[in-house]
């Protein structure tokens, strides 16, 4: 079996197991109250981390490149109450444009 | 459903990247159908593309997906039926379906979660099929700024979610933790570590 298929199977099985862990073990029972507060804040914590690592990281280096301009454009679009898809398209277009010019 | 379009485009991008990383055409499609978590698949493919080991690709992808343990826990009360059905329904949890279905009180809308998860899954796999089979026609997806579209999507989701001061604090802390760790840890670890920012929600 090639390395590629080892990756596909290992990552697939691992991810499916991690997604199912809570729902299968907890069943329909509500979560302990103590966990509810932190869980509510998981979304903002992780989303913010996904944003900054996808924009400012290149491997282990912190970088400032065309993606940052795209993100700034998306912030502006969202501040102007643009719909989600418009903000995403603006970010992609500005980044592509900055690369074409550079 | 604009998300499905975006996800479909990302599916195409993944297919193209995976093909150029030497994954062939069938493996990327199988991966999209089973793993169904875009950022981890991009991570695995880019590790391979950079000449990294299979073990590094697996570790990066699984670390990125470790967030699905707490994410799926937060949706656990949404699922119904026996263990097998719960197992299968839980596979439809992805960042986007989770964020879309979240109610202001922190619970999740079952119809939106499963429905959007299914649509997103079909778009993701369909996009991957197009990308991996038609990659020669497209060229480098970064040329179109696709790598900036990904964070912009997460930013837009974040924008909708942040209401209270605590949520703003959690987002700021998560971003700070992630950025601080980037130079010192393998890709993927900063995102998992940022989950610790949610601990400021602990009730005394």
């Amino acid at each position: 079996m090639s390395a590629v298929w080892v990756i596909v199977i290992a990552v697939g099985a691992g991810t499916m197991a991690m997604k199912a862990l809570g729902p299968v073990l907890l069943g329909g029972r509500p979560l302990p109250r103590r966990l509810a507060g932190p869980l509510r804040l998981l979304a903002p914590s992780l989303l913010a981390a996904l944003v900054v690592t996808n924009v400012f990281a290149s491997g282990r280096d912190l970088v400032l490149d065309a993606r940052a301009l795209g993100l700034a454009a998306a912030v502006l679009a969202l501040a102007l109450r643009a719909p989600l898809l418009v903000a995403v398209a603006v970010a992609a277009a500005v980044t592509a444009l900055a690369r074409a010019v550079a | 459903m604009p998300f499905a379009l975006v996800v479909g485009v990302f599916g195409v991008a993944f297919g193209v990247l995976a093909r150029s990383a030497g994954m062939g055409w069938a493996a990327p499609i199988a991966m999209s159908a089973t793993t169904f978590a875009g950022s981890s698949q991009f991570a695995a493919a880019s590790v391979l593309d950079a000449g990294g080991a299979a073990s590094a690709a697996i570790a990066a992808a699984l670390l990125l997906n470790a967030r699905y343990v707490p994410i799926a826990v937060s949706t656990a009360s949404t699922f119904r039926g026996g263990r097998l059905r719960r197992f299968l329904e839980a596979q439809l949890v992805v960042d986007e379906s989770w964020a879309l279905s979240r109610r202001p009180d922190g619970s999740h809308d079952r119809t939106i979660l499963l429905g959007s998860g299914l649509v997103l899954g079909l778009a993701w796999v369909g996009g991957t099929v197009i990308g991996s089979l038609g990659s020669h026609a497209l060229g480098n997806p970064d040329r179109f700024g696709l790598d900036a579209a990904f964070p912009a999507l997460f930013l837009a989701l974040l924008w909708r979610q942040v209401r209270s001061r605590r949520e703003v604090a959690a987002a700021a802390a998560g971003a700070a933790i992630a950025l601080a760790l980037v130079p010192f840890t393998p890709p993927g670890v900063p995102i998992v570590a940022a989950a610790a920012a949610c601990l400021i929600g602990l009730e005394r």
Side-chain angles (χ1 to χ4, degrees), chain A residues 7-101:
Chain A
I7 293 172
V8 169
I9 291 167
V11 175
T15 304
M16 290 171 86
M18 288 192 288
K19 281 187 183 178
L21 192 68
V24 169
L25 291 184
L26 273 172
R29 279 172 287 157
L31 279 167
R33 186 179 280 185
R34 224 179 129 67
L35 281 177
L39 281 175
R40 209 181 279 196
L41 294 182
L42 258 179
S45 313
L46 287 169
L47 286 172
L50 280 166
V51 171
V52 296
T53 52
N54 275 298
V55 171
F56 301 112
S58 177
R60 288 197 186 186
D61 295 320
L62 291 174
V63 295
L64 210 55
D65 58 21
R67 292 174 297 176
L69 286 175
L71 185 72
V75 170
L76 193 65
L78 288 168
L80 294 172
R81 296 171 186 273
L84 181 140
L85 199 60
V86 172
V88 171
V90 164
V94 167
T95 303
L97 192 69
R99 284 203 182 111
V101 172

Side-chain angles (χ1 to χ4, degrees), chain A residues 3-8 10-31 33-62 66-67 70-71 74-76 78-79 84-85 87-89 91-93 95-97 99, chain B residues 2-3 5-6 22-23 26-27 30-31 34-36 48 54 57-58 61-62 65-70 72-73 76-77 79 83 86-87 90-91 93-94 98 102 105 142-145 147-156 158-159 161 166-167 170-171 174-175 178-179 182-186 191 194-195 197-198 200-203:
Chain A
V4 167
W5 282 99
V6 172
I7 293 172
V8 169
V11 175
T15 304
M16 290 171 86
M18 288 192 288
K19 281 187 183 178
L21 192 68
V24 169
L25 291 184
L26 273 172
R29 279 172 287 157
L31 279 167
R33 186 179 280 185
R34 224 179 129 67
L35 281 177
L39 281 175
R40 209 181 279 196
L41 294 182
L42 258 179
S45 313
L46 287 169
L47 286 172
L50 280 166
V51 171
V52 296
T53 52
N54 275 298
V55 171
F56 301 112
S58 177
R60 288 197 186 186
D61 295 320
L62 291 174
R67 292 174 297 176
L71 185 72
V75 170
L76 193 65
L78 288 168
L84 181 140
L85 199 60
V88 171
T95 303
L97 192 69
R99 284 203 182 111
Chain B
F3 281 102
L5 185 67
V6 178
M23 289 181 72
M31 195 178 199
T34 55
T35 301
F36 183 30
L48 276 187
I58 292 170
L62 287 182
N65 285 344
R67 70 181 184 281
Y68 279 117
V69 174
V73 165
S77 58
F79 301 116
R83 295 198 164 195
R86 287 174 172 280
F87 179 90
Q91 302 310 319
V93 175
V94 280
W98 175 66
R102 189 168 171 270
D105 67 356
D142 285 0
R143 200 157 50 94
F144 307 108
D147 53 341
F150 193 47
L153 176 66
F154 287 118
L155 177 74
L158 178 65
W159 204 274
Q161 301 234 342
R166 259 193 178 170
E167 287 163 339
L179 281 181
V182 162
F184 308 108
T185 61
I191 295 162
C198 78
I200 59 181
L202 269 180
E203 305 285 343

Side-chain angles (χ1 to χ4, degrees), chain B residues 85 117 135:
Chain B
R85 186 159 165 208
S135 65

